Amino acid sequence: MNHDLFDDLAPDRATEHLMDGALVIRQFALPNAESLMEGIEKVTSEAPFRHMKTPGGHSMSAAMSCCGNLGWVTDRQGYRYQSEDPESGRPWPAMPAVFRELARSAADTAGFEGFEPDACLINRYQPGAKMGLHQDKDEEDFSQPIVSVSLGLPIVFQFGGLKRNERPMRVPLGHGDVVVWGGPARMRYHGVLTLKAGEHPLTGGYRYNLTFRRAR
Ligand code: MD3
Ligand code: FE
C-alpha cells in the first residue's frame, strides 16, 4: 500500500516505498526514542561499544554492540552470529522489550506479521564514520525482513542493486526513521555515507542505528 497521498496530512506516520520490499516509516520510533536510548545505554553498559575488525584486518569506523540471543561479530576468522560477546565470553545482553516491540510493530506495518528478531546490532557513528556498500547475508532465512531504526544525527543512506556495481540511490535517514527491508529488497547492497558533525538534543554528536534480524 502506498500512503504518499497522506504524507502531508499525517507527517508522523508517513511511509515511502523506496522500491519493492523497502518501506520507510518516517519518525515511527519518535515516541520511543528516549526509551530506546535508555535501552542502548543499558545494553552497552554490559557489552560496551567496540570497533570490530574486518576479516581483512581493518577496523570498522562505526562502533558496535549487540543484544538478543545472537550477536553479529567480525574478526580475522570472518563474519558470523554467535551467542556470546567475544570481548567478555558472556551471553549478549537481553533485547529490551521496547526494542522487540518496536521492531515487531514496524514489520507488521510493512506486512511482515509476527516478526521475532533474535539479534539486534547496534551501530554508533561518530563524525567521519561510514559504512561501505555490503549485503547482509549471514542470516539463515532471507525471507525474514530486517528492520532498521535511526536515532540522532541524520545520514545519507545508499541503496544499490543485487550487484555491487549498480549505482545506488541516496536516501536521507533522520531521527526516528524506521525502514523495513524485505522481499526483493532484502539482498540489495546498502551502506551509509560519512556522518557529518552535528549536535542532536538526544544523542549528542552521534548517530545510532539499530538493525533487527532473524539470524537463525
Ligand atoms: C537493506 N547498517 O548494520 S541500516 C548494517 O545505518 C547496516 O547502520 C546501516 O547496513 C546503518 O548491516 C544501514 C539500513 C539497512 C540495514 C540492513 C539492510 C538496510 C538494509 C539489509 C538489507 C537491505
Ligand atoms: Fe547492512
Side-chain angles (χ1 to χ4, degrees):
M1 236 208 301
N2 193 306
H3 296 274
D4 287 351
L5 280 175
F6 304 108
D7 285 359
D8 293 336
L9 294 173
D12 56 332
R13 282 296 162 90
T15 65
E16 300 158 28
H17 285 269
L18 290 183
M19 56 183 48
D20 220 17
L23 186 74
V24 185
I25 317 172
R26 295 286 176 197
Q27 302 184 12
F28 188 76
L30 216 46
N32 304 110
E34 282 88 355
S35 317
L36 292 168
M37 280 308 300
E38 285 168 19
I40 292 171
E41 274 153 30
K42 170 106 198 305
V43 167
T44 57
S45 71
E46 298 167 32
F49 281 114
R50 78 291 305 264
H51 293 273
M52 292 194 271
K53 284 241 184 358
T54 67
H58 299 283
S59 266
M60 299 194 66
S61 65
M64 295 178 172
S65 183
C66 298
C67 61
N69 287 340
L70 293 164
W72 184 84
V73 299
T74 171
D75 59 20
R76 282 300 213 26
Q77 319 310 317
Y79 307 120
R80 65 194 173 276
Y81 285 93
Q82 62 176 50
S83 50
E84 292 85 29
D85 176 353
E87 293 295 317
S88 66
R90 296 199 312 256
W92 293 102
M95 195 183 295
V98 59
F99 283 31
R100 216 177 339 102
E101 286 158 13
L102 181 74
R104 156 91 71 138
S105 93
D108 283 348
T109 301
F112 293 95
E113 275 168 53
F115 181 50
E116 289 191 39
D118 55 9
C120 173
L121 174 60
I122 307 172
N123 296 147
R124 185 188 68 188
Y125 296 81
Q126 72 286 350
K130 61 181 163 44
M131 193 176 287
L133 285 178
H134 66 277
Q135 292 174 301
D136 289 18
K137 53 184 183 191
D138 302 316
E139 302 75 26
E140 277 177 5
D141 179 3
F142 300 142
S143 74
Q144 295 274 344
I146 291 182
V147 174
S148 78
V149 178
S150 295
L151 293 170
L153 294 177
I155 207 160
V156 178
F157 175 75
Q158 292 195 292
F159 201 36
L162 297 174
K163 296 213 163 119
R164 210 178 187 292
N165 61 7
E166 265 183 69
R167 179 198 292 272
M169 62 188 277
R170 293 180 171 189
V171 184
L173 289 180
H175 182 60
D177 290 349
V178 174
V179 193
V180 182
W181 316 89
R186 176 65 180 77
M187 295 315 288
R188 286 183 182 264
Y189 276 86
H190 59 277
V192 297
L193 300 183
T194 306
L195 186 78
K196 292 194 170 127
E199 188 63 27
H200 187 278
L202 186 62
T203 69
Y206 295 106
R207 170 184 185 256
Y208 295 89
N209 182 263
L210 308 175
T211 45
F212 294 93
R213 298 123 186 281
R214 183 79 203 185
R216 288 192 188 145

